[in-house]
Amino acid sequence: MLADAATDSGGTRSGGTATATPQATAHVTAPALAAAVTVPAAMAVAPLPPVAPTGLAARCTRALLSPWSRLSLLLALLAGAASTVLLFHPQRLLSDGWPPQLGGAMAALVFAAAYGLCSVAFVPRPLLNLAAGALFGSQLGTGAALAGTVLGAGISFGLGRVLGQDALRPLLRGRWLKAADGQLSRHGFRSMMAARLFPGLPFWGVNYCAAVSRMRWTPFLLATALGSLPNTAAYVVAGARASSPTSPAFLIAMACIALPALGGAVVAWRKRHHLRAP
């Protein structure tokens, strides 16, 4: 009986051992199996990058939004604006006057908006300033003309920045072009003040040169307002006092117009050899 018990006990232990062995094996081999079938990180499949659409509509969209397409749109807009000005003759403001249904501050606001659009369309600013003085007098005319100047400069700057900068910046390869771009980008307010005060520089050309550079909006608009004030006020006063050309105000205004122009011509003449240098 003792032997049988020992045998049963041994069998039970042996059986228990035999029974327990698969469980232990299961517990031991499962992590090993998981480690064995784990894919290395180097062999893992990376997520595919998003594929750009290649249809006809996508190609047309990319072509329309390309830098050269936007530059072409800018040139077309400017050509259309210049053609419209040639058809409507804004110089009639000097002879026909302003519509009688408008007067006072409202007329000055409408004139400032028209001034801004006309300056974008290459209408000479002296003509618009003279018209502001003839229509509204010295004080209100100066305010309307200066507001129109800043508005037109802002429109030109925005159009050049959005539609022309990406296409024209890669073309800034010459020594003079790089120097001008660096000056406008690093010293925006000072450079724009000098450009506005110096007579002879085209208003629209300065606007688009600043737009192609990396000049910020705030120094551009602030320097435009401050730098354009003396010349604008002189023309407005001349327009307001044109009926009495011998008055002191008219003579002073004409002197303020002529002397800076003469000084600018002298400076340009003395610096001509720098412009011709390679």
Side-chain angles (χ1 to χ4, degrees):
M1 291 177 62
L2 289 172
D4 293 340
T7 303
D8 293 341
S9 175
T12 304
R13 282 196 299 270
S14 175
T17 304
T19 305
T21 300
Q23 297 173 358
T25 304
H27 285 296
V28 172
T29 56
L33 244 158
V37 298
T38 300
V39 179
M43 298 176 60
V45 179
L48 295 175
V51 180
T54 57
L56 179 61
R59 289 198 298 269
C60 292
T61 302
R62 286 197 298 270
L64 290 175
L65 296 179
S66 65
W68 287 104
S69 296
R70 284 181 284 160
L71 180 61
S72 301
L73 176 60
L74 174 61
L75 296 177
L77 289 175
L78 295 179
S83 302
T84 303
V85 166
L86 291 176
L87 290 175
F88 285 98
H89 302 291
Q91 62 270 20
R92 292 177 182 172
L93 288 174
L94 291 174
S95 57
D96 300 341
W98 198 248
Q101 61 268 23
L102 293 176
M106 181 58 66
L109 288 176
V110 175
F111 179 86
Y115 185 116
L117 295 176
C118 288
S119 65
V120 175
F122 311 113
V123 176
R125 286 183 59 248
L127 176 66
L128 297 172
N129 293 331
L130 291 172
L135 293 172
F136 304 107
S138 299
Q139 296 181 357
L140 189 58
T142 300
L146 189 62
T149 297
V150 176
L151 176 62
I155 294 174
S156 299
F157 187 84
L159 288 175
R161 179 61 56 89
V162 174
L163 300 178
Q165 187 185 48
D166 293 339
L168 295 178
R169 279 202 68 81
L171 303 179
L172 301 177
R173 297 174 182 174
R175 183 166 61 94
W176 285 106
L177 292 177
K178 288 184 177 179
D181 175 65
Q183 186 71 18
L184 289 171
S185 300
R186 291 190 299 269
H187 310 288
F189 180 82
R190 184 176 66 189
S191 302
M192 188 53 52
M193 277 288 293
R196 298 306 188 193
L197 290 172
F198 189 83
L201 295 178
F203 181 74
W204 59 271
V206 173
N207 294 337
Y208 290 113
C209 287
V212 174
S213 72
R214 301 193 184 279
M215 183 183 297
R216 299 190 307 274
W217 277 90
T218 301
F220 172 78
L221 294 177
L222 186 59
T224 296
L226 295 177
S228 302
L229 179 58
N231 183 265
T232 300
Y235 273 100
V236 171
V237 172
R241 301 301 180 92
S243 58
S244 54
T246 58
S247 63
F250 181 84
L251 295 177
I252 293 173
M254 294 304 298
C256 292
I257 295 171
L259 290 178
L262 181 61
V266 171
V267 171
W269 175 261
R270 298 188 64 176
K271 298 293 184 181
R272 67 189 186 280
H273 59 280
H274 293 294
L275 298 176
R276 294 176 182 175

